Amino acid sequence: MATATHIITEEEAASHPQAEAVVVRFAGDSGDGMQLTGGQFTLSTALAGNDLATFPDFPAEIRAPQGTTFGVSAFQINFGSTAIETAGDQPDVLIAMNPAALKVNVDQLREGGLIIADEGEFSARNLAKAGYEQNPLEDGSLAKWQLVHFNISQLTLDAVKPFGLGNKEALRCKNMWTLGLALWMFDRDRQPIVDWLNTKFAKAPELAEANIAALNAGHAYGETVEIGGVHRHHVAAAPAEPGLYRTVTGAESLALGLVAGAQLAGLKMFFGGYPITPASALLHHLSRLKEFGITTFQAEDEIAAICSAIGASYAGQLGITSSSGPGIALKTEALGLAIMTELPLVVVNSQRGGPSTGLPTKTEQSDLYQAVYGRNADAPLPVIAARSPADAFECAIEAVRIATRYMTPVMLLTDGYIANAAEPWRVPDMSGYEPFPVSFFDKAPAEGESVMPFARNGDLARPWIKPGTEGLEHRIGGIEKQPGTGNIDYSPGAHQQMTDTRAAKVNKVAESIPDQDVCLGNPGAKLAVVGWGSTFGPIHQAVRRAQGRGQDVAHVHIRHIWPMPKNMGELLKSFDKIIVPEMNTGQLKTVLRDQFLVDARPLNKVSGHPFRIAEIEAAIEEALA
C-alpha cells in the first residue's frame, strides 16, 4: 500500500485548527451500505475516545428504485472532544454517493462545508432520476460549498480487481472505500474495521479481502493524492470518567435495561412482540439474551403479542410487549384487560411519524395523548419517557420497578430517533442498584374465609398469585369485579369504587418517584424550556448557549409523564414563562396546562426529523424578547 509523509508546518496548523466537534453525513442509495458505513465509522470514533451522537435516516421503502431521491439513505454522526448531545444541526462534511443523495442532503450542509461526491455515479441517467437538468458538479451551483469529486466507483473496481469479483459485487465494496477515506480524514485506526470484516465474512474470505483492499485503497488515496479542500483533522478524545464504555443504540440499551429490571425483581421475562418499524430491533436484541431467563415470542399479530405477554404475567413472569403507534392502537383493548386485571406489564412504544402507516422510518413524539389518555373508559396507567439511547437503560429498570410494585401496566415511550441513534454509554456497576424482589402471595386463607385477589396493600397494589397455587384458586377477568374478592360485580357502587381505586393506585406512583429537578439553570428563571423524550439534547445545548449569552433560562426535562412528580406544579409556577418544544402539535403542553393551570406555550415540529439546536435558540430569543 502506498504511503506518504507530510510534515505539518506551523502556518498550516494555524490555518486548520483542531476542531472541537465535526458533523459528517454519509448519503447514498439505500443499497449503498450507508448505515453500515456510518456504524463502522461510529465504532472507530468511539474507540478514538470521542463523545458522539448519531442519526440514521433511511427510507421507508424496503428497496426504492435505484438512484431516486426517495430511495436515499443517510447516516449522520456528530463527534468531538467536548460533550455531544445531538447529532448536529448541520453537517460539516457531506459524502454523496450519487446525484440523488446530493440533491436530498446538500441544502442541509453548512455554508462553506465540504462535499465529497462520487463523480462515477453522475451519469446522464442518474442525473435525470434525481431531477437535475445539468451536472451540479460542473455548473457552479455548488459554489457556496467546498467541492471535491472523483470516481469512487472506478477506484473501487481497480482496488478489488485482483479478487475476481463480478462488477455488481465489486461495486458493493465502494462503501468500504469511502469509509477508508473518512478514516484517513479524521485520523482513525483501520484495524478494528479489518477485524470486523474478517469476522463478518469468515465463511467467504475472498469477500473479506476485497472489502479490506477497498478500505485500504480509500485510506491510501487520502494519503497520497492532493485533494483540494480535504484535510486531515485530528479530533481529540473527550474527557470521561474512568470506567468501561461501549456504544449503544436505544434499542440495545432498552433490551439490557429490561433484563436488568427483571433480574432486580427476581423474575423470568417473557417478551411477546410483532415486527414493526422502529420497534422490531428490541425483539432482535432480546432474542440474543436467552441465558438471562428470557423467552421471546414473535406473534402472528399485535393483539396476540400483548395477550401472550399478559398471560405470562398472570403465570408469574414479567410480561413485556413492544410496538409503535399503529401497533399500540391495536393492542389497546388488551391493554385495558391488563389494567382491569391489575397485572404487571411493560409496554414499549417506539414512536414514529404520522397516523396509519404515516412515516414508518421517521421520528416523532405524537403518541403522548395515546399513552396518557388513549383507552376506553377511565383506565390510567403510569407513563415514563426516555430522553436518550443510554437513558433508556435506566427507564427500563424504572418501568419494571413501577409495574411490579404497583401491579399495573406501564407505558415506556421512546421514538425512532432514540431507538436507532447511538451514543457512548458507561456500563454501570449493577451492585449499586437496589433490588426490588417480587413476593408472590402463597398463603391459603383460613377455613371459611375467601381468597381476596383484590385486597390492597399500602400502595393499593393487589397480591400477585401464581395460578395453580394450592388453596388460592380465584376468579380474574375483564368484567368489573367486586372490591376484594374479584367476583363479577357490575353494580354502580362496585364500579365507582374500583374505578376510583385503580386511579388512586396509579396516582400513588408519584410517592415513590423523585421530585422534578431543573437539569440546567435555576427555579424561578424568567423562562423554562420544558421537554420530554428525545428533545433533551437540542434543548440542553440551546439553553446552555443562551445562558452563555447571559439569558435567564432553565431546562426542565420530564421522565415521569404520568403521574408527574409531586413538586411539578410548584416548580412550573416559579417560572415567568414556559415553552415546550415537542415533535408533535403540542401534546405535553396541553397536559401541563390541564394539570397545573400554567401558561405553557408550544414549539412544535412534525417534519420527521429531530429539532435543531438553532430552532430552540430562536424560540428562546423570541420568548425573552
Side-chain angles (χ1 to χ4, degrees):
M1 182 182 69
T3 59
T5 301
H6 177 59
I7 305 300
I8 302 295
T9 66
E10 291 185 10
E11 291 77 15
E12 287 174 317
S15 63
H16 301 292
Q18 293 183 356
E20 284 195 344
V22 179
V23 182
V24 179
R25 181 177 297 185
F26 300 91
D29 196 74
S30 56
D32 284 340
M34 293 296 96
Q35 304 305 319
L36 190 69
T37 304
Q40 292 307 303
F41 187 78
T42 299
L43 170 65
S44 70
T45 299
L47 291 172
N50 298 131
D51 197 8
L52 63 94
T54 70
F55 176 47
D57 187 17
F58 38 85
E61 291 80 6
I62 293 173
R63 189 69 173 90
Q66 194 168 4
T68 58
T69 54
F70 51 88
V72 171
S73 177
F75 186 101
Q76 182 164 308
I77 177 171
N78 182 13
F79 59 98
S81 56
T82 57
I84 300 295
E85 285 159 341
T86 77
D89 275 15
Q90 294 178 289
D92 300 296
V93 179
L94 170 63
I95 300 175
M97 304 301 286
N98 65 10
L102 181 67
K103 180 100 172 189
V104 169
N105 292 282
V106 71
D107 287 336
Q108 297 172 53
L109 187 67
R110 69 165 176 82
E111 189 168 343
L114 173 63
I115 301 169
I116 299 175
D118 178 9
E119 67 182 32
E121 290 294 317
F122 280 68
S123 63
R125 186 165 180 263
N126 283 346
L127 289 166
K129 281 185 181 181
Y132 281 116
E133 294 182 2
Q134 295 181 323
N135 189 339
L137 304 183
E138 301 171 351
D139 65 4
S141 60
L142 305 177
K144 66 178 179 179
W145 298 288
Q146 302 176 67
L147 172 64
V148 295
H149 51 90
F150 34 86
N151 196 331
I152 295 175
S153 298
Q154 186 58 53
L155 290 165
T156 302
L157 291 174
D158 294 342
V160 303
K161 188 175 181 180
F163 302 96
L165 302 181
N167 196 67
K168 186 176 181 180
E169 206 165 31
L171 284 174
R172 286 179 181 158
C173 299
K174 71 177 182 178
N175 63 332
M176 286 296 110
W177 194 100
T178 306
L179 178 59
L181 178 64
L183 294 177
W184 171 81
M185 285 177 62
F186 297 103
D187 195 19
R188 297 280 181 260
D189 184 9
R190 281 165 288 159
Q191 192 56 46
I193 315 300
V194 172
D195 295 341
W196 173 79
L197 287 167
N198 281 321
T199 301
K200 179 178 175 64
F201 295 111
K203 295 182 179 179
E206 70 284 356
L207 292 179
E209 291 300 323
N211 278 281
I212 291 168
L215 180 81
N216 289 335
H219 193 276
Y221 194 84
E223 282 187 321
T224 58
V225 177
E226 293 284 340
I227 311 174
V230 179
H231 305 281
R232 197 169 199 184
H233 301 271
H234 178 79
V235 181
E241 294 181 25
L244 174 65
Y245 285 82
R246 58 164 291 184
T247 58
V248 286
T249 64
E252 290 171 325
S253 175
L254 189 55
L256 294 170
L258 290 170
V259 172
Q263 298 276 314
L264 291 168
L267 294 172
K268 291 186 176 180
M269 189 175 94
F270 177 93
F271 180 89
Y274 180 75
I276 182 172
T277 302
S280 302
L282 181 57
L283 172 59
H284 301 160
H285 292 303
L286 285 173
S287 67
R288 304 186 187 107
L289 300 173
K290 292 184 174 64
E291 66 269 26
F292 295 104
I294 298 170
T295 301
T296 52
F297 169 58
Q298 181 174 314
E300 65 268 29
D301 56 41
E302 296 282 9
I303 300 169
I306 187 172
C307 287
S308 66
I310 293 171
S313 290
Y314 176 58
Q317 293 197 11
L318 176 62
I320 312 283
T321 191
S322 171
S323 192
S324 189
I328 298 295
L330 292 169
K331 294 179 189 291
T332 299
E333 183 182 359
L335 191 51
L337 174 63
I339 293 169
M340 172 65 82
T341 54
E342 298 185 53
L343 286 166
L345 178 75
V346 177
V347 181
V348 179
N349 182 353
S350 299
Q351 301 163 96
R352 70 190 209 185
S356 186
T357 309
L359 306 171
T361 60
K362 308 302 179 184
T363 196
E364 207 162 277
Q365 292 181 298
S366 51
D367 297 348
L368 186 142
Y369 284 163
Q370 184 184 43
V372 174
Y373 304 122
R375 288 163 295 285
N376 61 298
D378 284 311
L381 54 73
V383 180
I384 61 179
R387 72 187 193 185
S388 69
D391 186 54
F393 178 83
E394 303 292 338
C395 288
I397 293 175
E398 176 70 345
V400 174
R401 183 193 69 83
I402 292 172
T404 54
R405 175 170 172 173
Y406 294 92
M407 292 293 288
T408 179
V410 176
M411 183 83 75
L412 171 53
L413 297 173
T414 70
D415 59 39
Y417 174 64
I418 290 176
N420 295 312
E423 67 178 354
W425 176 54
R426 187 186 180 194
V427 179
D429 178 1
M430 292 307 297
S431 65
Y433 288 76
E434 185 176 348
F436 40 87
V438 166
S439 296
F440 291 96
F441 187 77
D442 58 3
K443 185 179 179 180
E447 188 175 348
E449 295 183 3
S450 301
V451 179
M452 301 291 281
F454 286 88
R456 305 285 167 181
N457 64 14
D459 293 322
L460 298 181
R462 76 172 187 88
W464 197 355
I465 304 172
K466 285 187 180 182
T469 304
E470 187 175 356
L472 291 176
E473 296 82 0
H474 60 283
R475 181 178 286 117
I476 189 170
I479 297 179
E480 189 58 284
K481 49 195 57 61
Q482 186 181 66
T485 69
N487 295 332
I488 295 173
D489 185 346
Y490 42 84
S491 64
H495 180 53
Q496 182 75 56
Q497 184 175 339
M498 289 300 293
T499 299
D500 292 345
T501 302
R502 287 188 291 263
K505 180 180 73 169
V506 171
N507 288 335
K508 261 191 167 292
V509 172
E511 297 178 4
S512 71
I513 62 178
D515 281 350
Q516 181 62 51
D517 64 346
V518 180
C519 48
L520 198 59
N522 298 299
K526 289 183 179 178
L527 173 68
V529 186
V530 180
W532 67 281
S534 64
T535 56
F536 177 84
I539 292 175
H540 208 65
Q541 290 283 13
V543 169
R544 181 181 287 136
R545 292 179 185 180
Q547 288 181 342
R549 295 190 294 271
Q551 292 173 313
D552 188 14
V553 58
H555 176 197
V556 175
H557 215 76
I558 304 174
R559 171 182 284 179
H560 294 89
I561 303 292
W562 193 273
M564 290 195 185
K566 291 182 293 182
N567 70 324
M568 183 63 81
E570 181 183 356
L571 176 63
L572 292 178
K573 288 174 182 177
S574 74
F575 300 107
D576 292 346
K577 294 182 178 181
I578 298 169
I579 59 172
V580 185
E582 299 181 80
M583 292 184 290
N584 57 41
T585 55
Q587 297 183 18
L588 178 65
K589 169 268 299 178
T590 302
V591 173
L592 295 179
R593 288 179 176 180
D594 168 46
Q595 293 297 301
F596 306 112
L597 302 179
V598 293
D599 185 19
R601 300 297 179 95
L603 173 62
N604 306 134
K605 181 176 183 175
V606 284
S607 65
H609 288 96
F611 273 100
R612 292 168 55 189
I613 300 168
E615 292 169 332
I616 298 175
E617 281 190 283
I620 291 172
E621 293 284 349
E622 182 179 349
L624 291 175

